[in-house]
Structure formats: structure tokens, C-alpha cells
């Protein structure tokens, strides 16, 4: 298309967008476009043509319909905290901001549900329900910033995933705007509902590639009566890994079982100054919740196990306040690691928890092999590790080695029966590897669904489906 | 802006911005919930720290041209630096902002009157304490003349923005110039001697808030300090630094370091959070001048806020502090909290006063909207922030709102005036309140 034609097309599009959402909700200034050109994923940036902020579900649907008609790419966005470049508008088009849909619509204490719009900050939901003695367990580290819509689209996890699962496990009903401009509702406030395909689950974690969630009804559970936190310290990383497997093998499921290596401990301590011991090689942060007596018993047994697996020390958090400080400190791990080098690339490799020790060892061997610096922390209890590479995007040779190292890490994770991503989503960063996990036939099923729901392919272009699958270094077994 | 101007700005961004620091922002967004303008603008990324850093980097990378929108985004930043303590990556946002503002200011095409006014204020007024005394003494003459009443009556102040009109009402009474001039330069300790301190008297603090400085001196004496007020000291330069006049700020920093070296005190004491935060970064602003950087570091190492020194000298346990029964709350000075990291000490001091029921205000750690000259240059946003702040103040049911910085003090006074509570509620500097409690 010639420049003049593009200009004309854009000005026509602007006019139509304005007629749907109003003038002040369409931004095409260069500063407005720039600040929505990125998310929290390093090295991905692209300018959209427009930033559009609809005020209700109907406007969202109308914008999608218009985009389908004009074949304009749409990238829906919450707070942009995701780590797989899912909200980066790689092909231009529209960034669809959902910040104006920020209402908590209903707290239903009889059915134990809460109904929210996508732009609500996750922490607000947590705080509100906990005041009522209820509990919304998913707690991604970014929950103070991230929106529930983003959590739903990415199927976010968090520190409590081991016992309580991920976002998907708490979604009962959705309202979704489809690319054809229809609004549909899936599910309901029902514990039992087997009518038809499970569209709710299909849209949760679909990473904005199928439609836009405009409302969600979430399941709540009673708030656990009490909780206790311990720190187990290790001079041997593998001993920490073994402790995780042994705890689970003893039929105990803590709410949180987090692993931090020495680099991570140091970076976090440097930020928080809460007195983490920086002279140990690894820490397990373990939390149990539930009825008081059971928590006491579990924490006692877990501490025993850690000691028998060569923990050099096991410490009990003195108060709830201290426990909260520890959890908050852990949530800052990724950003704190960013202190060490200009570029921080975090991955999300996940293995069955029995393989944690093997995976941790493999990661350090791979880092050594490619001569790159990788720190590891993560949700050890659910096998979800975050090997994090500290590098400098300006060093092209190192970046190549980083990519190779991560390819090998993914390969190892899959070989151990694991997956590419436990909670962050596929987005752009893992799209080239997705076929390794799903197989060609699996990808074909996904393509078929995508084609049926979004025939024009406008939704979150460039994500999940890779143009080219990365070649495996070692042929699949 | 013309194309050539934009090119020049872009060039300067490439040359002068600290690119490593820009890269240090990993865009996690942990800063967003702490940013007052992000919240007040309905979560607009453009008015968040992450967004502003992206804009600065965008100019540096050549992805966007500097334009009025970007300048506005930077202008709307309060500079409260609440984003810094919550940044796990440790990004020095305040320094980036200062540098970017300085570049934009250098290239700003301003009308002749505005240029003259800026030049007058920044070069001719604030760096000369005697001129500032003259200027404020004129305010004093005005205040004592009975004119304010007339002015208000005839609605003269209505010609000014609402925020200015409110401000005019709440300005403290300026002492006579003679009184300022005749104050001694040395005060001897009372009780057991603990330290020799040099008071950073400040520019406005030593004119408009002269009595607060005197209260500070009294407290220091009672705490066992010999107090010196070094001659030749100047305004700290914060106003310049934050408004893009970094060059001038550097000159002033050097003169101050000179002045305080001569005093050779154990501590250098400030009682204004805004000044303290600028003084404590003298080593940063002089970092590229090798012959100054060590001297600046020494200066910085001695700096302490009045609350911090009092607590360090155990003042609250060695003196009986008492006030009539009342609820008291505290509004943090952003700079005192986020840059000097002094926030527990003022609370501890207030809680140790008999008769005081201390009520922590929700969001006491967020900006009140004053932010240097912000309430004058961005009155609309400043008032929006202040009105939300006052909702929180009123919730505490406090009779006394304590602050630790002249700007915050005036802002809280203006806030009280705006909600119509003058008479039943008051705002006061912590030094004044402590002295009151002591007597």
C-alpha cells in the first residue's frame, strides 16, 4: 500500500473508532503509542497505530467487529506485566486498553463467587474477599499491578499454586467479546455444569488470541484459618531439590514451597533488607495454611524433613508480619535480579516435582556449557522454575548463546515430562518451541479452533502460533 | 518545536542520558501503584515512571521525537520519587528525570518575559539570600499593611488561580528583616554536650519560616548540640535542579560545600525534606567533577534531618514532651521519606508526646501535591491530589497534621482551608510542635 493510502486508511479507521468509544479514548499521539509498545518482556517493542480505551463490553465488541471488517490487528492489554511479550503489538494496529472496565460487579456470599470486569487489579479482589473471610488463591507475583483480565488471559499462577492451582481453577463463568462483534457468556455460578464443550477453560489462557474477556465470575473458597512460614537454608542446591520431592512424597502439600538460589537471595536482600542469609547456596520458603493444629503438625514434619535432607538451618517466621515480608520479598525476585545486569531474561520451565533436583542441576550445567549466567528461583513445589538469565542485549554473541542455552533448557524440561511454561504463557517468546510440547497434530487442533473463532486472524497476531518452529538440537525421542 | 530543535534535543539525549540507567528499568511495573499521577490520571501509562522512562529511552533510541506531549508527561511528574523505594531493580528515576528536564529546559523556546522571570528567579533571587530576604520582607510589609484584607475583600486574589489564592491566605507571617539579620550565628548547647552541628538554614526556611528555624535551633540546643549557622551558605539548589537548571544547581552546591567545610561540625542538619533530599545527592550532581566529588561525599555523610538527629541523641527519652489531649497525624515529606529514608523517626517523636494520640493516615507516604513549585506550575493536578489527600486526613479525625517540609506544610494548610476546617484543624512543622510540647 502506498503511504498516502495507508494514511487515508488510518484516518478512516480513527474516525470509526472515535464514533465507537469517543474522541478522548482514541490516542494516536506518538507518546501515547510508545508507552503501549512494550510489556515486561525484554527486547520486544513495536508501535501500535492507535491506543483505544473502551468503556464497556458492547464497545469492546464493536471495536473487534470493526477490526475484523478492516482486518486490523488487535492487542488487548491490562497492566502490561506479562513476561512472554503477549501484549506487544508486533504488527501495529490497535492496543485495546481495558483499564476503564475496572468495576467489581458483585460479591455473591451465597454462591461464594465474585464477578468482576477485566481491568480490576488482582490484589483488590484478594483484599476485598479476605475482608469477608473468603479467599481467592491465585496470587501472581505481580498481583499488586496486574489486572484480573491479564491473569485470565495468561492463566497466571503464583506462590500458592502448589496447593490451590492456577487462575483457571477459579473461573466459573465468562463474558467474552468475539472478533465478529458477538458477546457470549460461558459457564455460570454452578459447581456442576457439563453442557457442551468447556468454553470457559478454552478462553482462559488463550492469551488474547481468540477474543476479549469482558467479565468474569470467579470461585471463592473459605479463608484458611491460620498459616505458618519457615525458611530452610542449604549449602547444597540439590539437597534443597531433594527436600521438595521428599516433602511431597510424605503426602504433604504446603501452600507455598519456593526455591531461591544464592544470586537471587543476594539480589532480593539487596532490595528488601529483611535479613535473608546471603551466605547460603539456596533457600526454601515454605508456607502451610489451614486449621491451626494441622498447620503446626505439618510445619513441624516439614522442618524435620528439611533437616534430614541436609538443611543447615530451619527458621520459623516469628510473626505473620515477618511471613508476609518474606513472601513479598520473594515476589520481587525477578525485578531484583535485574539489578545485576542490563538485560534480565526470565523463563518458565516446568517439570514434575519429582524431577526438581535433576532440573536444577541441568540448568546449572547448561549455563556453564554456554558460558552464560543463569540464576534460578521459582515455585519448586509445583515444579515451576524460573531460570533467569542475566545478560546484556547489546552483546550479540552472548545473546546467541543465551538463546541456545534456553533452547536446551526447554528440551530438558520436556524430556523430563515437563513443559515450556508453567504460568507465564507462550506469547512470542515460547511460540517457536510450542510444537515441541504439543506435536504438529496438537498445533493443528489449535489452529482449527483459532480459524473457527477468529477467521480473519486479527486477535493478538504473532503470538502462540510461530511462523517457524525452532529446530531441536537433539531429535525427539 | 521545529525539526531542528527536535534534532538537537535528540542529540543531547543520546549524549547526556545515562543509557545504562535507562536499560536498568526492566519494565516490570512495580512502580505503577506508587505513582500519584498514574493513579490520578486513571492509570495512564504515559504518566507513570515506567512510561516516562520509556519515553526518555524512546527519544534516546530515536524511536520518538521529543514533542509537547512528552514534555508534558515529564512536567506532570511530581518528582516525589515514591517509585524509587519500591523499584526492585533500583532504578534511579529521580536522576533520569532531572537529566531529561535539564535537556528539555536548555532547548525550550520561551517568551522573553518568561525567560526573564526564570532568569530572575533562578539566577538573581534564590542564590542570593539577602535578595530573598528583601523579597520576603516585601511580603511581610504587605502582610502587615492590612492590604491582604482589602485585596480579599475586593476579590483581587480571584484574578489568580484558585490554588494561588488559597496559598496567599495560608502563608505564614514573615518576620521583619531586622530580626533575621540580627540572629546570632552560634548557639551553645544546653544539658550535657553531645555534638556540634551546623544548621542548613535554607532560603525560604530562613525567611518565611524563620520561626521554625529558630525552633529547630532550640531543640538542637536542648538535645545537647552546639549549633553553628555557617555564613555564605545558599539555597540548596533543589528548585533549580528540579526545573532543569542543573548547571546553576551545581554552582550552588559547591558554594554550600565550601561554607559547611569551614564549620567542621559533626552533623549538618536540615529541617526541610526537599532541601535534605537535594543536599544528600550533592555527590551525585558533582559526580563528573573529580576535584569536588570527595568533598561532596563528606558533606553528604554528615547530613541528617532534625527528626533523625533528635532520635539519634535520644531526645524523646531525655525530655518530657506534653501537649493537650489531641489526635495527631503525620504527612510524610516525599523527599524525606523516599530519598533521605527518614520516616520512622518523626513518628516515634510524635508518639512519645504525652497527650498525643497518634493516628497513622492512610497513604501518608504519598505526595500531597506540593512538590516544590509543582502546585504553581501544575495547579489542576496539584489540587486534585490535595483534595484526595484531605479525604484521608479527615478520616483520621486529627486536630493537628504534622509535616516536615515547608512546601508540604503550606499545602496542608491550603488543604485545611479548602475543606473549610481552618480553626478546628491545623498544620504544623514537626520542629514547631516539638518545641511547643517541650515548653
Amino acid at each position: 500500500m502506498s503511504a498516502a493510502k495507508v494514511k487515508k486508511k488510518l484516518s478512516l479507521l480513527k474516525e470509526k473508532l472515535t464514533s465507537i468509544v469517543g474522541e478522548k479514548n482514541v490516542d494516536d499521539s506518538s507518546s501515547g503509542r510508545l508507552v503501549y509498545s512494550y510489556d515486561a518482556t525484554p527486547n520486544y517493542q513495536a508501535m501500535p497505530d492507535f491506543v483505544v480505551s473502551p468503556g464497556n463490553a458492547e464497545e469492546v465488541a464493536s471495536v473487534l467487529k470493526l477490526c475484523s471488517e478492516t482486518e486490523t490487528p488487535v492487542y488487548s492489554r491490562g497492566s502490561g506485566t506479562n513476561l512472554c511479550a503477549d501484549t506487544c503489538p508486533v504488527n501495529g494496529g490497535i492496543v485495546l486498553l481495558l483499564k476503564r472496565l475496572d468495576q467489581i460487579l458483585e460479591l455473591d456470599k451465597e454462591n461464594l463467587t465474585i464477578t468482576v470486569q477485566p481491568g480490576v487489579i488482582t490484589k483488590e479482589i484478594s483484599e476485598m474477599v479476605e475482608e469477608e473471610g473468603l479467599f481467592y488463591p491465585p496470587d501472581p507475583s505481580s498481583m499488586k499491578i496486574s489486572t484480573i483480565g491479564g491473569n485470565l488471559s495468561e492463566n497466571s499462577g503464583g506462590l500458592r499454586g502448589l496447593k490451590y492451582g492456577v487462575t483457571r481453577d477459579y473461573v466459573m463463568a465468562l463474558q467474552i467479546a468475539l472478533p465478529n462483534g458477538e458477546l457470549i457468556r460461558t459457564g455460570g455460578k454452578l459447581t456442576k455444569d457439563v453442557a457442551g464443550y468447556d468454553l470457559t477453560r478454552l478462553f482462559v489462557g488463550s492469551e488474547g488470541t481468540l477474543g476479549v474477556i469482558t467479565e468474569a465470575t470467579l470461585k471463592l473458597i473459605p479463608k484458611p484459618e491460620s498459616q505458618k512460614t519457615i525458611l530452610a537454608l542449604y549449602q547444597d542446591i540439590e539437597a534443597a531439590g531433594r527436600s521438595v520431592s521428599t516433602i511431597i512424597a510424605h503426602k504433604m502439600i504446603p501452600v507455598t514451597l519456593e526455591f531461591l538460589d544464592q544470586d537471587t537471595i543476594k539480589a532480593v536482600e539487596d532490595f528488601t533488607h529483611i535479613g535473608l542469609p546471603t551466605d547460603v547456596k539456596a533457600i526454601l520458603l515454605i508456607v502451610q495454611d489451614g486449621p491451626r493444629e494441622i498447620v503446626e503438625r505439618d510445619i513441624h514434619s516439614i522442618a524435620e524433613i528439611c533437616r534430614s535432607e541436609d538443611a543447615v538451618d530451619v527458621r520459623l517466621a516469628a510473626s505473620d508480619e515477618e511471613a508476609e515480608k518474606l513472601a513479598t520479598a520473594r515476589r520481587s525476585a525477578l525485578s531484583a535480579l535485574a539489578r545485576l545486569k542490563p538485560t534480565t531474561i526470565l523463563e518458565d520451565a516446568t517439570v514434575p516435582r519429582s524431577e526438581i533436583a535433576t532440573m536444577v542441576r541441568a540448568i546449572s550445567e547448561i549455563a556453564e556449557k554456554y558460558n552464560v549466567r543463569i540464576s534460578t528461583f521459582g515455585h519448586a513445589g509445583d515444579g515451576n522454575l524460573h531460570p533467569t538469565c542475566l545478560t546484556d542485549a547489546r552483546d550479540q554473541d552472548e545473546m546467541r548463546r543465551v538463546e541456545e542455552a534456553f533452547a536446551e533448557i526447554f528440551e530438558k524440561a520436556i524430556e523430563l515430562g515437563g513443559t515450556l511454561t508453567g504460568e507465564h504463557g507462550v506469547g512470542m517468546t515460547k511460540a517457536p518451541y510450542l510444537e515441541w510440547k504439543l506435536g504438529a497434530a496438537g498445533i493443528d487442533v489449535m489452529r482449527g479452533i483459532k480459524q473457527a473463532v477468529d477467521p480473519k486472524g486479527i486477535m493478538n497476531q504473532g503470538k502462540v502460533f510461530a511462523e517457524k518452529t525452532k529446530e531441536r538440537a537433539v531429535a525427539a525421542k | 518545536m521545529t525539526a531542528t530543535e527536535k534534532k538537537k534535543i535528540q542529540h543531547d539525549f543520546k549524549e547526556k542520558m545515562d543509557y545504562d540507567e535507562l536499560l536498568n528499568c526492566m519494565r516490570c511495573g512495580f512502580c505503577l501503584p506508587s505513582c500519584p499521577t498514574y493513579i490520578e490520571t486513571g492509570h495512564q501509562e504515559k504518566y507513570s515512571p515506567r512510561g516516562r522512562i520509556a519515553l526518555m529511552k524512546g527519544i534516546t533510541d530515536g524511536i520518538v521525537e521529543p514533542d509537547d506531549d512528552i514534555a508534558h508527561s515529564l512536567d506532570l511528574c511530581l518528582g516525589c520519587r515514591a517509585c524509587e523505594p519500591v523499584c526492585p531493580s533500583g532504578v534511579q528515576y529521580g536522576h533520569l528525570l532531572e537529566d531529561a528536564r535539564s535537556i528539555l529546559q536548555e532547548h525550550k523556546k520561551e517568551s522573553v518575559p518568561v525567560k526573564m522571570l526564570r532568569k530572575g528567579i533562578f539566577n538573581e533571587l534564590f542564590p542570593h539570600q539577602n535578595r530573598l530576604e528583601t523579597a520576603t520582607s516585601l511580603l511581610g510589609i504587605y502582610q502587615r499593611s492590612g492590604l491582604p484584607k482589602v485585596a480579599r475583600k475586593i476579590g483581587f486574589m480571584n484574578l489568580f488561580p484558585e490554588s494561588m489564592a488559597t496559598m496567599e491566605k495560608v502563608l505564614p507571617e514573615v518576620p521583619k528583616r531586622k530580626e533575621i539579620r540580627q540572629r546570632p550565628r552560634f548557639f551553645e548547647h544546653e544539658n550535657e554536650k553531645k555534638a556540634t552541628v551546623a544548621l542548613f538554614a535554607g532560603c525560604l526556611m530562613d525567611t518565611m519560616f524563620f520561626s521554625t528555624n529558630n525552633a529547630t535551633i532550640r531543640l538542637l540546643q536542648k538535645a545537647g548540640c552546639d549549633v553553628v549557622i555557617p555564613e555564605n551558605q545558599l539555597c540548596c539548589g533543589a528548585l533549580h535542579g528540579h526545573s532543569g537548571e542543573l548547571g546553576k544547581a551545581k554552582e550552588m552546591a559547591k558554594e554550600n560545600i565550601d561554607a559547611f567545610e569551614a564549620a567542621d561540625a559533626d552533623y549538618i542538619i536540615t529541617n526541610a525534606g526537599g532541601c535534605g533530599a537535594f543536599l544528600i545527592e550533592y555527590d551525585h550532581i558533582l559526580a563528573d567533577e573529580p576535584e569536588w566529588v570527595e568533598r561532596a561525599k563528606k558533606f553528604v555523610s554528615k547530613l541528617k534531618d532534625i527528626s533523625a538527629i533528635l532520635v539519634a541523641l535520644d531526645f524523646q527519652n531525655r525530655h518530657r514532651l506534653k501537649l493537650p489531649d489531641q489526635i495527631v497525624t503525620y504527612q510524610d515529606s516525599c523527599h524525606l521519606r523516599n530519598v533521605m529514608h527518614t520516616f520512622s523517626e518523626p513518628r516515634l517523636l510524635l508518639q512519645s508526646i504525652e497527650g498525643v494520640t497518634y493516628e497513622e493516615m492512610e497513604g501518608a507516604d504519598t505526595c500531597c501535591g506540593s512538590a516544590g513549585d509543582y502546585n504553581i506550575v501544575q495547579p489542576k493536578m496539584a489540587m486534585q491530589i490535595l483534595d484526595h489527600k484531605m479525604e484521608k486526613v479527615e478520616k483520621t479525625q486529627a486536630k493537628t497534621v504534622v509535616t516536615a517540609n515547608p512546601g508540604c506544610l503550606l499545602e496542608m494548610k491550603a488543604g485545611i482551608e479548602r475543606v473549610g476546617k481552618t480553626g478546628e484543624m491545623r498544620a504544623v512543622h514537626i520542629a514547631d510542635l516539638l518545641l511547643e510540647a517541650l515548653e
Side-chain angles (χ1 to χ4, degrees):
Chain A
M1 225 187 288
S2 72
K5 265 194 175 166
V6 171
K7 209 173 159 196
K8 197 174 166 208
K9 192 185 158 196
L10 287 179
S11 99
L12 202 66
L13 188 59
K14 185 176 178 180
E15 208 174 285
K16 288 182 178 163
L17 286 168
T18 305
S19 73
I20 298 170
V21 297
E23 197 175 340
K24 69 176 203 278
N25 296 311
V26 180
D27 188 355
D28 62 350
S29 67
S30 65
S31 54
R33 288 156 52 226
L34 180 82
V35 296
Y36 294 109
S37 65
Y38 56 82
D39 50 39
T41 325
N43 292 334
Y44 289 87
Q45 185 156 23
M47 293 279 264
D49 297 313
F50 299 101
V51 179
V52 181
S53 315
N56 55 48
E58 288 70 27
E59 288 182 8
V60 175
S62 304
V63 171
L64 293 191
K65 186 161 188 256
L66 170 66
C67 290
S68 282
E69 283 163 6
T70 52
E71 299 195 14
T72 308
V74 182
Y75 299 89
S76 52
R77 189 184 201 274
S79 299
T81 56
N82 80 90
L83 294 158
C84 61
D86 237 332
T87 40
C88 178
V90 264
N91 292 345
I94 287 173
V95 163
L96 192 72
L97 279 187
L98 293 159
K99 63 183 166 104
R100 289 176 64 214
L101 278 77
D102 63 351
Q103 298 301 307
I104 293 177
L105 300 172
E106 182 200 43
L107 176 63
D108 180 344
K109 290 190 227 172
E110 284 181 13
N111 287 306
L112 298 191
T113 63
I114 187 166
T115 301
V116 297
Q117 291 188 314
V120 178
I121 305 291
T122 310
K123 186 149 176 121
E124 275 177 40
I125 297 174
S126 269
E127 284 176 350
M128 181 180 184
V129 304
E130 282 182 39
E131 263 174 38
E132 301 287 338
L134 293 166
F135 197 42
Y136 174 69
D139 64 337
S141 288
S142 55
M143 68 190 293
K144 261 175 96 172
I145 312 133
S146 61
T147 61
I148 189 71
N151 292 175
L152 290 160
S153 298
E154 303 299 312
N155 193 6
S156 306
L159 268 62
R160 301 194 279 239
L162 172 57
K163 184 169 182 175
Y164 293 112
V166 292
T167 301
R168 176 202 286 138
D169 301 311
Y170 296 86
V171 189
M172 303 192 76
L174 295 174
Q175 184 192 49
I176 301 153
L178 295 174
N180 63 7
E182 298 275 358
L183 281 169
I184 59 165
R185 286 190 180 273
T186 71
K189 292 177 183 174
L190 308 158
T191 314
K192 291 179 167 179
D193 180 3
V194 296
Y197 289 174
D198 191 345
L199 294 179
T200 309
R201 285 206 158 210
L202 175 63
F203 278 89
V204 174
S206 64
E207 305 187 21
T209 59
L210 297 177
V212 175
I213 294 168
T214 49
E215 194 182 301
T217 300
L218 308 170
K219 177 169 87 176
L220 305 174
I221 59 175
K223 190 178 167 191
E225 185 187 304
S226 73
Q227 73 170 42
K228 272 207 151 43
T229 299
I230 53 172
L231 275 186
L233 317 182
Y234 297 85
Q235 286 301 355
D236 172 9
I237 291 185
E238 281 189 51
R242 279 198 315 273
S243 300
V244 175
S245 312
T246 316
I247 291 166
I248 311 277
H250 275 72
K251 304 185 185 67
M252 262 172 306
I253 309 286
V255 54
T256 295
L257 215 179
E258 295 289 309
F259 171 86
L260 291 90
D261 73 359
Q262 192 167 22
D263 261 355
T264 314
I265 299 166
K266 282 184 177 165
V268 169
E269 178 57 22
D270 196 25
F271 167 50
T272 56
H273 305 293
I274 57 168
L276 289 175
T278 50
D279 56 344
V280 296
K281 293 279 178 342
I283 288 180
L284 290 179
L285 168 71
I286 308 168
V287 186
Q288 181 59 303
D289 69 1
R292 215 164 292 277
E293 314 81 66
I294 295 175
V295 170
E296 289 285 345
R297 193 194 67 199
D298 281 3
I299 283 291
H300 180 74
S301 314
I302 290 167
E304 283 301 303
I305 293 170
C306 294
R307 285 194 193 98
S308 71
E309 291 288 2
D310 302 328
V312 291
D313 193 11
V314 180
R315 301 177 183 174
L316 182 73
S319 60
D320 288 353
E321 203 183 8
E322 191 184 337
E324 185 53 39
K325 267 190 192 162
L326 288 167
T328 308
R330 158 59 189 90
R331 288 180 209 284
S332 72
L334 163 65
S335 318
L337 277 169
R339 285 168 180 248
L340 305 178
K341 288 275 265 172
T343 313
T344 313
I345 303 176
L346 162 133
E347 273 312 338
D348 195 21
T350 302
V351 292
R353 50 204 171 201
S354 56
E355 303 286 359
I356 280 285
T358 319
M359 193 63 206
V360 168
R361 188 181 343 124
I363 291 169
S364 54
E365 282 166 9
I366 293 167
E368 204 168 311
K369 176 175 165 190
Y370 290 96
N371 186 26
V372 291
R373 183 171 177 186
I374 297 181
S375 303
T376 301
F377 63 94
H379 319 289
D382 48 43
N384 181 196
L385 290 174
H386 293 312
T388 301
C389 190
L390 308 170
T391 177
D392 187 335
R394 292 167 290 190
D395 182 342
Q396 291 187 0
D397 182 59
E398 185 168 280
M399 289 305 283
R400 189 187 47 74
R401 283 183 281 122
V402 170
E403 197 188 323
E404 291 308 310
F406 274 125
E408 201 162 323
I409 287 173
F410 291 142
E411 195 142 19
K412 184 72 188 175
I414 290 171
E415 184 195 312
L416 293 172
T419 184
L420 304 165
T421 167
E423 58 179 6
H424 292 167
V426 176
M428 295 181 78
T429 57
K430 269 145 292 189
Y433 305 95
L434 187 61
E435 198 179 311
W436 297 7
K437 166 73 182 162
L438 299 184
I443 298 275
D444 279 347
V445 173
M446 281 183 35
R447 278 195 198 282
I449 295 170
K450 169 86 173 165
Q451 177 65 28
V453 184
D454 178 24
K456 294 282 182 66
I458 57 162
M459 302 301 300
N460 212 1
Q461 284 180 7
K463 316 300 167 66
V464 184
F465 300 97
E467 277 179 21
K468 196 167 173 285
T469 290
K470 188 157 170 84
E471 278 187 41
R472 302 178 80 148
V474 186
K477 284 175 192 160
Chain B
M1 268 180 238
T2 65
T4 343
E5 281 165 351
K6 285 179 180 170
K7 269 223 171 86
K8 278 187 188 155
I9 293 175
Q10 208 132 25
H11 173 265
D12 279 4
F13 265 74
K14 276 199 182 102
E15 292 281 303
K16 294 181 184 165
M17 292 301 290
D18 182 344
Y19 200 72
D20 282 339
E21 199 61 53
L22 287 171
L23 275 180
N24 202 6
C25 170
M26 51 90 65
R27 312 190 292 210
C28 64
F30 274 46
C31 55
L32 302 179
S34 73
C35 176
T37 54
Y38 177 69
I39 294 163
E40 294 289 343
T41 57
H43 295 176
Q44 287 197 51
E45 184 84 12
K46 204 189 280 192
Y47 303 115
S48 76
R50 180 173 71 172
R52 290 183 178 115
I53 291 172
L55 291 170
M56 295 179 216
K57 185 165 178 290
I59 298 175
T60 312
D61 288 342
I63 303 175
V64 282
E65 288 185 336
D67 61 14
D68 292 342
D69 278 346
I70 296 181
H72 181 245
S73 155
L74 297 179
D75 285 345
L76 205 66
C77 175
L78 295 147
C80 72
R81 297 170 72 169
C83 48
E84 287 185 26
V86 296
C87 174
S89 311
V91 177
Q92 304 286 310
Y93 172 82
H95 298 166
L96 289 171
L97 179 73
E98 258 169 31
D99 290 343
R101 279 185 173 168
S102 174
I103 296 169
L104 289 174
Q105 185 56 40
E106 233 167 82
H107 295 278
K108 212 174 210 170
K109 267 252 162 74
E110 274 163 340
S111 63
V112 176
V114 171
K115 255 200 177 140
M116 294 288 285
L117 186 66
R118 274 187 77 96
K119 201 170 164 242
I121 291 174
F122 289 119
N123 294 348
E124 306 302 332
L125 181 61
F126 278 88
H128 304 277
Q129 190 62 18
N130 56 342
R131 293 184 199 165
L132 201 66
E133 281 166 18
T134 311
T136 39
S137 71
L138 290 177
L139 176 68
I141 292 169
Y142 163 76
Q143 283 173 336
R144 288 186 287 271
S145 69
L147 256 179
K149 266 190 196 155
V150 180
R152 278 172 217 157
K153 216 169 188 177
I154 61 171
F156 178 68
M157 285 314 289
N158 297 343
L159 297 173
F160 294 95
E162 199 188 348
S163 57
M164 282 253 274
T166 314
M167 240 1 129
E168 188 267 349
K169 280 190 215 162
V170 300
L171 283 179
E173 281 192 27
V174 177
K176 293 202 172 111
R177 193 173 176 177
K178 212 168 104 194
E179 206 183 326
I180 303 177
R181 289 279 159 97
Q182 284 173 348
R183 183 188 55 197
R185 293 257 161 208
F186 178 79
F187 298 85
E188 201 169 9
H189 67 276
E190 287 176 20
N191 310 313
E192 182 195 342
K193 181 168 175 190
K194 298 263 184 177
T196 302
V197 304
L199 180 71
F200 182 83
C203 50
L204 285 177
M205 284 308 295
D206 218 30
T207 48
M208 208 180 280
F209 296 94
F210 189 69
S211 63
T212 303
N213 267 2
N214 289 340
T216 307
I217 295 166
R218 289 292 299 138
L219 291 172
L220 288 166
Q221 283 178 290
K222 298 250 182 205
C225 299
D226 278 345
V227 186
V228 189
I229 307 174
E231 278 185 73
N232 303 325
Q233 57 171 305
L234 299 175
C235 157
C236 65
L239 197 61
H240 304 75
H242 300 156
S243 313
E245 307 276 346
L246 263 180
K248 191 73 206 165
K250 280 186 185 183
E251 282 174 35
M252 293 160 76
K254 290 175 190 169
E255 291 203 34
N256 277 326
I257 292 170
D258 253 340
F260 280 85
E261 275 173 353
D264 195 31
D266 303 317
Y267 300 104
I268 298 169
I269 305 302
T270 67
N271 57 6
C275 307
F278 202 72
L279 295 166
I280 211 164
E281 295 197 324
Y282 272 5
D283 55 340
H284 169 76
I285 69 167
L286 295 170
D288 53 358
E289 302 200 30
E291 67 275 28
W292 280 95
V293 76
E294 279 313 310
R295 294 171 68 183
K297 277 188 183 153
K298 197 164 171 211
F299 177 93
V300 162
S301 71
K302 291 183 173 182
L303 198 69
K304 259 194 184 337
D305 180 72
I306 178 68
S307 293
I309 182 88
L310 290 179
V311 171
L313 298 177
D314 203 27
F315 177 80
Q316 73 280 11
N317 291 321
R318 298 198 303 128
H319 292 90
R320 183 167 182 236
L321 300 166
K322 190 174 184 325
L323 284 173
D325 288 356
Q326 59 187 299
I327 298 174
V328 170
T329 195
Y330 177 70
Q331 163 64 34
D332 278 292
S333 146
C334 296
H335 282 153
L336 185 59
R337 184 181 182 105
N338 300 325
V339 187
M340 291 191 80
H341 307 297
T342 301
F343 51 90
S344 58
E345 293 91 337
R347 289 173 167 81
L348 180 69
L349 289 168
L350 294 175
Q351 282 163 349
S352 60
I353 302 175
E354 281 176 52
V356 162
T357 308
Y358 180 77
E359 194 67 46
E360 177 74 17
M361 186 201 316
E362 187 192 327
D365 58 347
T366 64
C367 185
C368 62
S370 168
D373 62 354
Y374 189 89
N375 55 10
I376 299 166
V377 292
Q378 301 288 345
K380 202 171 146 230
M381 179 56 80
M383 285 299 124
Q384 189 180 327
I385 291 171
L386 177 60
D387 289 346
H388 287 150
K389 175 62 71 182
M390 288 313 294
E391 288 167 16
K392 308 273 167 61
V393 173
E394 291 192 283
K395 254 197 196 161
T396 65
Q397 296 185 312
K399 185 171 169 275
T400 306
V401 189
V402 181
T403 65
N405 182 58
C408 314
L409 179 60
L410 285 182
E411 193 75 3
M412 295 318 298
K413 282 180 184 231
I416 292 168
E417 177 81 21
R418 275 173 80 81
V419 294
K421 291 237 162 135
T422 310
E424 34 185 315
M425 192 192 266
R426 65 169 181 157
V428 55
H429 190 286
I430 189 162
D432 290 317
L433 190 75
L434 288 173
L435 190 64
E436 207 179 302
L438 200 59
E439 287 163 352

